[in-house]
Amino acid sequence: MNIAIVGPGAIGSTFAYHLARAGHDVTVVARGQRLAYLEKTRAIVTSEGERAPVLVSGALDTQTPWDLVLVSVLDHQVDAVLPTLSQSAARQVMFMFNTFAPFDRLRDAVGTERFVFGFPAIAAQLQEGKLKAQVIPRALSFLQITIVTDPRWAEIFSKAGIPTDTQPEMHSWLRTHAALVAPVMTTCLRAYQRGRGLSWEEAREMAAAMAEGFDLVRSLGHRLTPSNLETFSKLPAATHALLFWAISRSAAPATFANQGPAEARALIAAMATAAPGQSARLQALRP
């Protein structure tokens, strides 16, 4: 397969590494310092010193009939690349990022027949340009696993070492996920910045914000997805608060802190836009 990856940050680089090692022809499209680093190495290099050779470019070649263009950028960055994706001769375009917004603008830009969406179950970071990544294995799929809307790419990614399942209800899944992770991210940022865990009262506020987010998702006509989150949402509020209290005292804050506040802010803002007047608790906690 001839695959281009737009946005080879930690997640994009993980896909580039595994796909290249699996024998696919991978071109990474980068900019700034990441482009300069990749132009020197011409490979995705791991923190252990392993290498996966890739081609490197500062712009997506719109004339190449890529089997797949994988777009791994943040939601607020994607509009800048939509015109290029629209002109691209790629057979399929997969967007892979956290979002609460409707898919319409993405699908309209590339066409329904080319549109694919995915979400990674990968913990990854770049350290001085080198990739340190942990792919969630299939054995832990009851927690989360990488998901895509197209079973063909689920099979290709799985064979490349990134266990992947198909999720036909991706929009519901993403909105449910946003309602869950926005207060989790906020919890981690607060704990990391202060160097200590949340108070019990703060943990209760986070739990109430999460419940508000779940209610918002339902009000937009979605089921909580996957279904085990519907069961989770019905647990006592004190149990949810205890979860946030424990998260703030775990190793999670240092991991999420690397992402900064931008993603949590964007998710909460998108929820407020989608359902005006239904996200007061979430907005009060917005980092």
Coordinates of all heavy atoms in Angstrom, one line a residue, residues 126-196:
L126 N 6.9 12.2 21.6 CA 8.1 12.4 20.9 C 9.1 13.0 21.9 O 8.8 14.0 22.5 CB 8.0 13.3 19.7 CG 7.1 12.7 18.6 CD1 6.9 13.8 17.5 CD2 7.8 11.5 18.0
Q127 N 10.3 12.4 22.0 CA 11.3 12.9 22.9 C 12.5 13.2 22.1 O 13.2 12.3 21.6 CB 11.6 11.8 24.0 CG 10.5 11.4 24.9 CD 10.8 10.3 25.8 OE1 11.6 9.5 25.6 NE2 10.0 10.3 26.9
E128 N 12.8 14.5 21.9 CA 13.9 15.0 21.0 C 13.8 14.3 19.7 O 14.8 13.9 19.1 CB 15.2 14.7 21.7 CG 15.4 15.4 23.0 CD 16.8 15.2 23.6 OE1 17.5 14.3 23.1 OE2 17.1 15.9 24.6
G129 N 12.5 14.2 19.2 CA 12.3 13.7 17.8 C 12.1 12.2 17.8 O 11.6 11.7 16.8
K130 N 12.5 11.5 18.8 CA 12.4 10.0 18.8 C 11.1 9.6 19.4 O 10.5 10.2 20.3 CB 13.6 9.4 19.6 CG 14.9 9.7 19.0 CD 16.0 9.0 19.7 CE 17.4 9.3 19.0 NZ 18.5 8.7 19.8
L131 N 10.5 8.5 18.9 CA 9.2 8.1 19.2 C 9.2 7.1 20.4 O 10.0 6.1 20.4 CB 8.5 7.4 18.0 CG 7.2 6.7 18.3 CD1 6.1 7.8 18.6 CD2 6.8 5.9 17.0
K132 N 8.4 7.4 21.4 CA 8.2 6.4 22.5 C 6.7 6.1 22.5 O 5.9 7.0 22.8 CB 8.7 7.0 23.8 CG 8.5 6.0 25.0 CD 9.1 6.5 26.3 CE 9.0 5.5 27.4 NZ 9.5 6.0 28.7
A133 N 6.3 4.9 22.2 CA 4.9 4.6 22.0 C 4.5 3.2 22.6 O 5.3 2.3 22.6 CB 4.5 4.6 20.5
Q134 N 3.3 3.2 23.1 CA 2.8 1.9 23.6 C 1.4 1.7 22.9 O 0.5 2.5 23.1 CB 2.6 1.9 25.1 CG 2.0 0.6 25.6 CD 1.9 0.6 27.1 OE1 2.2 1.6 27.8 NE2 1.5 -0.5 27.7
V135 N 1.3 0.7 22.1 CA 0.0 0.4 21.4 C -0.8 -0.5 22.3 O -0.3 -1.5 22.8 CB 0.3 -0.3 20.1 CG1 -1.0 -0.7 19.4 CG2 1.1 0.6 19.1
I136 N -2.1 -0.1 22.5 CA -2.9 -0.9 23.4 C -3.2 -2.2 22.7 O -3.7 -2.3 21.6 CB -4.3 -0.2 23.7 CG1 -4.0 1.2 24.3 CG2 -5.1 -1.0 24.6 CD1 -3.2 1.2 25.5
P137 N -2.9 -3.3 23.4 CA -3.0 -4.7 22.8 C -4.5 -5.1 22.7 O -5.3 -4.6 23.5 CB -2.2 -5.6 23.6 CG -2.2 -4.9 25.0 CD -2.3 -3.4 24.7
R138 N -4.7 -6.1 21.9 CA -6.1 -6.6 21.8 C -6.6 -7.2 23.1 O -7.8 -7.3 23.5 CB -6.2 -7.7 20.7 CG -7.6 -8.1 20.3 CD -7.7 -8.8 19.0 NE -7.4 -8.0 17.9 CZ -8.2 -7.1 17.3 NH1 -9.4 -7.0 17.8 NH2 -7.8 -6.4 16.3
A139 N -5.6 -7.7 24.0 CA -6.0 -8.3 25.2 C -6.7 -7.3 26.2 O -7.4 -7.6 27.1 CB -4.8 -8.9 25.9
L140 N -6.4 -6.0 25.9 CA -7.0 -4.9 26.7 C -8.2 -4.2 25.9 O -8.5 -3.1 26.3 CB -6.0 -3.9 27.1 CG -4.9 -4.4 28.1 CD1 -3.9 -3.3 28.4 CD2 -5.5 -5.0 29.3
S141 N -8.7 -4.9 24.9 CA -9.7 -4.2 24.1 C -11.0 -3.9 24.9 O -11.8 -3.1 24.5 CB -10.1 -5.1 22.9 OG -10.6 -6.4 23.3
F142 N -11.2 -4.5 26.1 CA -12.3 -4.2 26.9 C -12.2 -2.8 27.5 O -13.2 -2.2 27.9 CB -12.5 -5.2 28.1 CG -11.3 -5.2 29.0 CD1 -11.4 -4.5 30.2 CD2 -10.2 -6.0 28.8 CE1 -10.3 -4.5 31.1 CE2 -9.1 -6.0 29.7 CZ -9.2 -5.2 30.8
L143 N -11.0 -2.3 27.5 CA -10.8 -0.9 27.9 C -10.9 0.1 26.7 O -11.8 0.9 26.7 CB -9.4 -0.7 28.6 CG -9.2 -1.5 29.9 CD1 -7.8 -1.3 30.3 CD2 -10.1 -1.0 31.0
Q144 N -10.1 -0.2 25.8 CA -10.2 0.6 24.5 C -9.2 0.0 23.5 O -8.2 -0.5 23.9 CB -9.8 2.1 24.7 CG -10.0 3.0 23.5 CD -9.7 4.4 23.8 OE1 -9.9 4.9 24.8 NE2 -9.1 5.1 22.8
I145 N -9.5 0.1 22.3 CA -8.7 -0.4 21.2 C -8.8 0.6 20.0 O -9.8 1.3 19.9 CB -9.0 -1.8 20.8 CG1 -7.9 -2.5 20.0 CG2 -10.4 -1.9 20.0 CD1 -8.1 -4.0 19.7
T146 N -7.8 0.7 19.2 CA -7.9 1.5 18.0 C -9.1 1.1 17.2 O -9.4 -0.1 17.0 CB -6.6 1.4 17.2 OG1 -5.5 1.9 18.0 CG2 -6.7 2.2 15.9
I147 N -9.9 2.1 16.7 CA -11.1 1.8 16.0 C -11.1 2.6 14.7 O -10.6 3.7 14.6 CB -12.4 2.1 16.8 CG1 -12.3 3.5 17.4 CG2 -12.6 1.1 17.9 CD1 -13.6 3.9 18.1
V148 N -11.7 2.1 13.6 CA -11.9 2.8 12.4 C -13.3 2.4 11.8 O -13.9 1.5 12.3 CB -10.8 2.4 11.3 CG1 -9.4 2.9 11.8 CG2 -10.8 0.9 11.1
T149 N -13.8 3.2 10.9 CA -15.1 3.0 10.3 C -15.0 2.0 9.1 O -16.1 1.5 8.7 CB -15.7 4.3 9.8 OG1 -14.8 4.9 8.9 CG2 -16.0 5.2 11.0
D150 N -13.9 1.6 8.7 CA -13.7 0.8 7.5 C -13.0 -0.5 7.9 O -11.9 -0.5 8.3 CB -12.9 1.5 6.4 CG -12.9 0.7 5.1 OD1 -12.8 -0.5 5.1 OD2 -12.9 1.4 4.0
P151 N -13.7 -1.7 7.7 CA -13.1 -3.0 8.2 C -11.8 -3.3 7.4 O -10.9 -4.0 7.9 CB -14.2 -4.0 7.9 CG -15.1 -3.4 7.0 CD -15.1 -1.9 7.3
R152 N -11.7 -2.8 6.2 CA -10.5 -3.1 5.4 C -9.2 -2.5 6.1 O -8.2 -3.2 6.2 CB -10.6 -2.5 4.0 CG -9.4 -2.6 3.1 CD -9.8 -2.2 1.7 NE -8.6 -2.1 0.8 CZ -8.1 -1.0 0.4 NH1 -8.6 0.2 0.8 NH2 -7.1 -0.9 -0.4
W153 N -9.4 -1.3 6.6 CA -8.2 -0.7 7.2 C -8.0 -1.2 8.6 O -6.9 -1.3 9.1 CB -8.4 0.8 7.2 CG -8.2 1.4 5.9 CD1 -9.2 1.9 5.0 CD2 -7.0 1.4 5.1 NE1 -8.6 2.2 3.8 CE2 -7.3 1.9 3.8 CE3 -5.7 1.0 5.4 CZ2 -6.3 2.1 2.8 CZ3 -4.7 1.2 4.4 CH2 -5.0 1.7 3.1
A154 N -9.1 -1.7 9.3 CA -8.9 -2.4 10.6 C -8.0 -3.6 10.4 O -7.1 -3.9 11.2 CB -10.3 -2.8 11.1
E155 N -8.2 -4.3 9.3 CA -7.4 -5.5 9.1 C -6.0 -5.1 8.7 O -5.0 -5.8 9.3 CB -8.0 -6.3 7.9 CG -7.2 -7.6 7.6 CD -7.8 -8.4 6.4 OE1 -8.9 -7.9 5.9 OE2 -7.3 -9.4 6.1
I156 N -5.8 -4.1 7.9 CA -4.4 -3.7 7.5 C -3.6 -3.2 8.7 O -2.5 -3.5 9.0 CB -4.5 -2.6 6.4 CG1 -5.0 -3.3 5.1 CG2 -3.1 -2.0 6.2 CD1 -5.3 -2.3 4.0
F157 N -4.3 -2.4 9.6 CA -3.6 -1.8 10.8 C -3.3 -3.0 11.7 O -2.2 -3.0 12.3 CB -4.5 -0.8 11.5 CG -4.6 0.5 10.7 CD1 -5.6 1.4 11.1 CD2 -3.8 0.8 9.6 CE1 -5.7 2.6 10.4 CE2 -3.9 2.0 8.9 CZ -4.9 2.9 9.3
S158 N -4.2 -3.9 11.9 CA -4.0 -5.0 12.8 C -2.8 -5.9 12.4 O -1.9 -6.2 13.2 CB -5.2 -5.9 12.9 OG -6.3 -5.2 13.5
K159 N -2.7 -6.1 11.1 CA -1.6 -6.9 10.6 C -0.2 -6.2 10.7 O 0.8 -6.8 10.8 CB -1.8 -7.3 9.1 CG -2.9 -8.3 8.9 CD -3.1 -8.7 7.4 CE -4.1 -9.8 7.2 NZ -4.3 -10.1 5.8
A160 N -0.3 -4.8 10.8 CA 0.9 -4.0 10.9 C 1.3 -3.9 12.4 O 2.3 -3.2 12.7 CB 0.7 -2.6 10.3
G161 N 0.5 -4.5 13.3 CA 0.9 -4.4 14.7 C 0.1 -3.4 15.6 O 0.5 -3.1 16.7
I162 N -0.9 -2.8 15.0 CA -1.8 -1.9 15.7 C -3.2 -2.6 15.8 O -4.0 -2.4 14.8 CB -1.9 -0.5 15.1 CG1 -0.5 0.1 15.0 CG2 -2.8 0.4 15.9 CD1 -0.4 1.4 14.3
P163 N -3.5 -3.4 16.8 CA -4.8 -4.0 16.9 C -5.9 -3.0 16.7 O -6.0 -2.0 17.4 CB -4.8 -4.7 18.2 CG -3.3 -4.8 18.6 CD -2.6 -3.7 18.0
T164 N -6.8 -3.3 15.8 CA -7.9 -2.4 15.4 C -9.2 -3.1 15.2 O -9.2 -4.1 14.5 CB -7.5 -1.6 14.1 OG1 -6.2 -1.0 14.3 CG2 -8.5 -0.5 13.8
D165 N -10.2 -2.5 15.6 CA -11.6 -3.0 15.4 C -12.4 -2.0 14.6 O -12.0 -0.8 14.5 CB -12.3 -3.3 16.7 CG -11.9 -4.6 17.4 OD1 -11.3 -5.4 16.7 OD2 -12.1 -4.8 18.6
T166 N -13.5 -2.4 14.1 CA -14.4 -1.5 13.3 C -15.5 -1.0 14.2 O -16.0 -1.7 15.1 CB -15.1 -2.3 12.2 OG1 -14.1 -2.9 11.3 CG2 -15.9 -1.3 11.3
Q167 N -15.7 0.3 14.1 CA -16.8 1.0 14.9 C -17.7 1.7 14.0 O -17.4 2.8 13.5 CB -16.1 2.0 15.9 CG -17.1 2.8 16.7 CD -18.2 2.0 17.4 OE1 -19.3 1.9 16.9 NE2 -17.9 1.4 18.5
P168 N -18.9 1.1 13.7 CA -19.8 1.8 12.7 C -20.5 3.0 13.3 O -20.9 3.9 12.6 CB -20.8 0.7 12.5 CG -20.8 -0.3 13.6 CD -19.3 -0.2 14.1
E169 N -20.6 3.1 14.6 CA -21.2 4.3 15.3 C -20.2 5.2 15.8 O -20.2 5.6 16.9 CB -22.1 3.8 16.4 CG -23.3 2.9 16.0 CD -24.2 2.6 17.1 OE1 -24.9 3.5 17.6 OE2 -24.2 1.4 17.5
M170 N -19.3 5.6 14.9 CA -18.1 6.5 15.3 C -18.5 7.8 15.8 O -17.9 8.3 16.8 CB -17.2 6.6 14.1 CG -15.9 7.4 14.4 SD -14.8 6.6 15.6 CE -14.0 5.4 14.5
H171 N -19.6 8.4 15.3 CA -20.0 9.7 15.8 C -20.4 9.7 17.2 O -20.1 10.5 18.0 CB -21.0 10.3 14.9 CG -21.1 11.8 15.0 ND1 -22.2 12.5 14.5 CD2 -20.3 12.8 15.5 CE1 -22.0 13.8 14.7 NE2 -20.9 14.0 15.3
S172 N -21.3 8.7 17.5 CA -21.7 8.5 18.9 C -20.5 8.1 19.8 O -20.5 8.6 20.9 CB -22.8 7.3 18.9 OG -23.9 7.7 18.3
W173 N -19.6 7.3 19.3 CA -18.5 6.9 20.1 C -17.6 8.2 20.4 O -17.2 8.3 21.6 CB -17.6 5.9 19.3 CG -16.5 5.3 20.1 CD1 -16.6 4.1 20.8 CD2 -15.2 5.9 20.4 NE1 -15.4 3.9 21.5 CE2 -14.6 4.9 21.2 CE3 -14.6 7.0 20.0 CZ2 -13.3 5.2 21.7 CZ3 -13.3 7.3 20.5 CH2 -12.6 6.3 21.3
L174 N -17.3 9.0 19.4 CA -16.5 10.2 19.6 C -17.2 11.1 20.6 O -16.5 11.7 21.5 CB -16.2 10.9 18.3 CG -15.2 10.2 17.4 CD1 -15.3 10.8 16.0 CD2 -13.8 10.4 18.0
R175 N -18.5 11.4 20.5 CA -19.1 12.3 21.4 C -19.2 11.7 22.8 O -19.0 12.5 23.8 CB -20.5 12.6 20.9 CG -20.4 13.5 19.6 CD -21.8 14.0 19.2 NE -21.5 15.3 18.4 CZ -22.5 16.0 17.8 NH1 -23.8 15.6 18.0 NH2 -22.2 17.1 17.1
T176 N -19.4 10.5 23.0 CA -19.3 9.8 24.3 C -17.9 10.0 24.9 O -17.7 10.3 26.1 CB -19.7 8.4 24.2 OG1 -21.0 8.2 23.6 CG2 -19.8 7.7 25.6
H177 N -17.0 9.7 24.0 CA -15.6 9.8 24.5 C -15.2 11.2 24.9 O -14.5 11.4 26.0 CB -14.7 9.3 23.3 CG -13.2 9.3 23.7 ND1 -12.6 8.3 24.4 CD2 -12.2 10.1 23.3 CE1 -11.4 8.5 24.6 NE2 -11.0 9.6 23.9
A178 N -15.7 12.2 24.2 CA -15.4 13.6 24.6 C -16.0 13.9 25.9 O -15.3 14.6 26.7 CB -15.9 14.5 23.5
A179 N -17.2 13.5 26.2 CA -17.9 13.8 27.4 C -17.1 13.1 28.6 O -17.1 13.6 29.7 CB -19.3 13.2 27.4
L180 N -16.5 12.0 28.3 CA -15.7 11.3 29.3 C -14.3 11.9 29.6 O -13.9 12.2 30.7 CB -15.5 9.8 29.0 CG -14.6 9.0 29.8 CD1 -15.2 8.8 31.2 CD2 -14.4 7.6 29.2
V181 N -13.6 12.2 28.5 CA -12.2 12.6 28.6 C -12.0 14.1 28.9 O -10.9 14.4 29.4 CB -11.4 12.2 27.4 CG1 -11.4 10.7 27.2 CG2 -11.8 12.9 26.1
A182 N -13.0 14.9 28.5 CA -12.8 16.3 28.8 C -12.5 16.6 30.3 O -11.6 17.3 30.7 CB -13.9 17.2 28.3
P183 N -13.4 16.0 31.2 CA -13.1 16.2 32.6 C -11.9 15.4 33.1 O -11.2 15.9 34.1 CB -14.4 15.8 33.3 CG -15.1 15.0 32.3 CD -14.7 15.5 31.0
V184 N -11.6 14.3 32.5 CA -10.4 13.6 32.8 C -9.1 14.4 32.5 O -8.2 14.5 33.3 CB -10.3 12.2 32.1 CG1 -9.0 11.5 32.3 CG2 -11.4 11.3 32.6
M185 N -9.1 15.0 31.3 CA -8.0 15.8 30.9 C -7.8 17.0 31.9 O -6.7 17.4 32.3 CB -8.2 16.3 29.5 CG -8.0 15.3 28.4 SD -8.3 16.0 26.8 CE -7.9 14.7 25.7
T186 N -9.0 17.6 32.2 CA -8.9 18.8 33.1 C -8.4 18.4 34.5 O -7.6 19.1 35.1 CB -10.3 19.4 33.2 OG1 -10.8 19.7 31.9 CG2 -10.3 20.6 34.1
T187 N -8.8 17.2 35.0 CA -8.4 16.7 36.2 C -6.8 16.5 36.2 O -6.1 16.9 37.1 CB -9.0 15.3 36.5 OG1 -10.4 15.5 36.8 CG2 -8.4 14.6 37.7
C188 N -6.3 15.9 35.1 CA -4.9 15.7 35.0 C -4.1 17.0 35.0 O -3.0 17.1 35.6 CB -4.6 14.8 33.8 SG -5.2 13.1 34.0
L189 N -4.6 17.9 34.2 CA -3.9 19.2 34.1 C -3.8 19.9 35.4 O -2.8 20.4 35.8 CB -4.6 20.1 33.1 CG -4.4 19.7 31.6 CD1 -5.5 20.4 30.7 CD2 -3.0 20.1 31.2
R190 N -4.9 19.9 36.2 CA -4.9 20.6 37.5 C -4.0 19.9 38.4 O -3.2 20.5 39.1 CB -6.3 20.5 38.1 CG -7.3 21.5 37.5 CD -8.5 21.6 38.4 NE -9.6 22.5 37.9 CZ -10.7 22.7 38.5 NH1 -11.0 22.2 39.6 NH2 -11.6 23.6 37.9
A191 N -4.0 18.6 38.5 CA -3.1 17.8 39.4 C -1.7 18.0 39.0 O -0.8 18.2 39.9 CB -3.5 16.3 39.3
Y192 N -1.4 18.0 37.7 CA 0.0 18.2 37.3 C 0.5 19.6 37.6 O 1.6 19.8 38.1 CB 0.1 17.9 35.8 CG 1.6 18.0 35.3 CD1 2.4 17.0 35.5 CD2 2.0 19.2 34.6 CE1 3.7 17.0 35.0 CE2 3.3 19.2 34.2 CZ 4.2 18.1 34.4 OH 5.5 18.2 33.9
Q193 N -0.3 20.6 37.4 CA 0.1 22.0 37.6 C 0.3 22.3 39.1 O 1.2 23.1 39.5 CB -0.9 22.9 37.0 CG -1.0 22.9 35.5 CD -2.2 23.6 34.9 OE1 -3.1 24.0 35.6 NE2 -2.3 23.7 33.6
R194 N -0.5 21.7 39.9 CA -0.4 21.9 41.4 C 0.6 21.0 42.1 O 1.0 21.3 43.2 CB -1.8 21.7 42.0 CG -2.9 22.6 41.6 CD -4.2 22.2 42.2 NE -5.3 23.0 41.8 CZ -6.6 22.8 42.1 NH1 -6.8 21.7 42.9 NH2 -7.5 23.5 41.7
G195 N 0.8 19.9 41.4 CA 1.7 18.9 42.1 C 1.0 18.1 43.2 O 1.7 17.5 44.0
R196 N -0.3 18.1 43.1 CA -1.1 17.3 44.1 C -2.4 17.0 43.5 O -2.9 17.5 42.5 CB -1.3 18.1 45.4 CG -2.1 19.4 45.3 CD -2.3 20.1 46.6 NE -3.3 21.2 46.5 CZ -3.0 22.4 46.1 NH1 -1.8 22.7 45.7 NH2 -4.0 23.3 46.1

